Amino acid sequence: MGFPSERPRRTRQSDAWRRLVRETRLSADAFIYPLFVVPGRAVRHPVESMPGISQLSVDEAVKEAKALAAQGVPALLLFAAPARKDAQASAARDRQGLAAQAITAIKQACPDLIVWADVCLCGATDHGHCGHVTAAGAIDNDSSVQTLAEVALNYARAGADAVAPSDMMDGRVQAIRALLDAHGHATTPIVSYAAKYASSFYGPFREAAESAPAFGDRRSYQMDPANVREALREVLLDIAEGADLVMVKPAGPYLDVIRQVRDAVRVPVVAYQVSGEFSLIKAAAARGWIDERAAVLESLTGIRRAGADLIISYFAPQVLAWLRA
Ligand code: PBG
């Protein structure tokens, strides 16, 4: 066969045709929206590097959650930037801590909205690393895992629908699962940031979450951007340890990783379109260099096409509005 019998353009000739034969569709059901919580009352503090995104006090976060739920946003991913930062990440383990308060308040106001709690030490430590730092300045894996499990238990007790460890320590999924189970939280799922890369695209987030490392970088625990076999290893290990969903992060520069992970596992695969991916599009659109709506939908369609079942995106509310229109 081939030309002139084969004419792929036949099914491309109108919008109606293109809609009919479309292979990848974005669904409002599959988006998760990140929220940043800070201390205080009536605080809405814009994050300069992320236009449209603000740090919110708990009361404002509750208002925001109600509005998001009303718009049909199915799930939130919660980050807290507590005022108290110390070597032990005490604020993250405190039952009255900022994250725990926010989780409880949002679930009380919006029981049907799914709330995932990001579990990490970086927002609550004075050094901004995701684990405990030894005297020699290294990140100590096993003591960090212990603390992370306590943080996860704290968030599960506060009412989180899932805990999402983002620290990249070895063995934390198993430790979290064991501690949750031992305390009556066997039904709380673990969303593992399984393949999380040491990425330059987290820059804007670190302003929002106040979690930039005070020294060094995260390359001794987050993954080398050049590796994909290692991502499969991480994902399979986390599933063996009890992860219910696995994540690839960032999303756009790692579409091949998303595809390979999707083909290798049976659990849902989540992709995180991170702050830098968001800000790049926002910045170019603000200068009129790119069509924001088209670029956002194309970036998300690419992530879906690569195999992501769920997408965490700062564009989520906007996309849902576009999908409804
Ligand atoms: C913290 C964490 C980070 C992100 C999510 N959880 C930053 C980091 O690892 O430095 C990045 C999210 C984003 O950039 O949107 N462990």
Side-chain angles (χ1 to χ4, degrees):
M1 288 268 275
F3 185 80
S5 311
E6 291 252 28
R7 291 178 182 270
R9 288 183 56 194
R10 284 184 192 120
T11 53
R12 239 181 259 155
Q13 60 185 293
S14 66
D15 196 48
W17 265 112
R18 291 188 292 271
R19 286 176 74 122
L20 199 62
V21 300
R22 189 155 292 148
E23 297 177 32
T24 307
R25 296 172 207 278
L26 295 174
S27 161
D29 296 336
F31 281 97
I32 298 110
Y33 183 59
L35 224 56
F36 299 104
V37 180
V38 290
R41 275 194 69 78
V43 178
R44 290 191 78 92
H45 180 245
V47 179
E48 210 185 316
S49 56
M50 301 178 72
I53 306 292
S54 294
Q55 296 177 316
L56 307 171
S57 52
V58 172
D59 54 322
E60 289 293 326
V62 167
K63 277 190 219 164
E64 185 89 358
K66 284 184 185 160
L68 291 162
Q71 289 171 54
V73 172
L76 300 181
L77 173 60
L78 213 67
F79 295 95
R84 178 165 44 123
K85 298 184 198 283
D86 58 31
Q88 298 309 313
S90 311
R93 287 187 290 168
D94 183 349
R95 288 179 93 153
Q96 309 305 324
L98 182 64
Q101 275 182 39
I103 294 163
T104 305
I106 291 173
K107 284 305 294 183
Q108 213 154 28
C110 312
D112 295 332
L113 184 64
I114 296 278
V115 174
W116 292 358
D118 184 271
V119 171
C120 199
L121 305 190
C122 60
T125 47
D126 43 13
H127 47 65
H129 274 290
C130 304
H132 293 309
V133 177
T134 66
I139 310 304
D140 185 58
N141 193 87
D142 296 8
S143 65
S144 303
V145 163
Q146 191 71 32
T147 304
L148 287 158
E150 289 170 25
V151 173
L153 177 59
N154 188 33
Y155 297 170
R157 282 177 168 153
D161 293 293
V163 291
S166 65
D167 52 282
M168 287 300 279
M169 298 301 129
D170 295 332
R172 90 275 210 222
V173 172
Q174 183 169 68
I176 290 170
R177 185 72 276 155
L179 197 66
L180 291 180
D181 290 0
H183 289 84
H185 295 282
T187 59
T188 301
I190 298 175
V191 181
S192 176
Y193 287 69
K196 177 176 177 181
Y197 289 86
S199 173
S200 57
F201 289 92
Y202 305 149
F205 170 94
R206 292 180 185 170
E207 179 192 340
E210 301 171 9
S211 69
F215 65 90
D217 54 48
R218 304 207 200 286
R219 286 181 296 175
S220 79
Y221 42 105
Q222 298 180 349
M223 283 183 49
D224 185 335
N227 294 355
V228 63
R229 288 190 300 266
E230 189 185 356
L232 295 174
R233 184 177 180 215
E234 283 282 8
V235 162
L236 293 174
L237 275 171
D238 282 4
I239 292 171
E241 290 180 28
D244 298 282
L245 298 86
V246 292
M247 196 191 300
V248 175
K249 172 187 175 186
Y254 297 90
L255 297 179
D256 57 324
V257 181
I258 296 172
R259 168 48 55 199
Q260 293 205 32
V261 168
R262 180 57 288 164
D263 290 344
V265 306
R266 295 191 196 82
V267 298
V269 174
V270 187
Y272 196 148
Q273 184 183 50
V274 301
S275 57
E277 299 176 78
F278 170 82
S279 297
L280 284 180
I281 293 177
K282 279 289 189 187
R287 286 165 180 73
W289 291 349
I290 203 166
D291 176 337
E292 179 169 342
R293 176 179 172 148
V296 169
L297 292 174
E298 185 176 335
S299 69
L300 294 167
T301 299
I303 293 165
R304 277 282 298 140
R305 194 191 62 240
D309 302 293
L310 307 174
I311 304 176
I312 302 169
S313 174
Y314 301 97
F315 291 117
Q318 178 64 73
V319 170
L320 265 53
W322 288 333
L323 291 178
R324 270 195 308 274

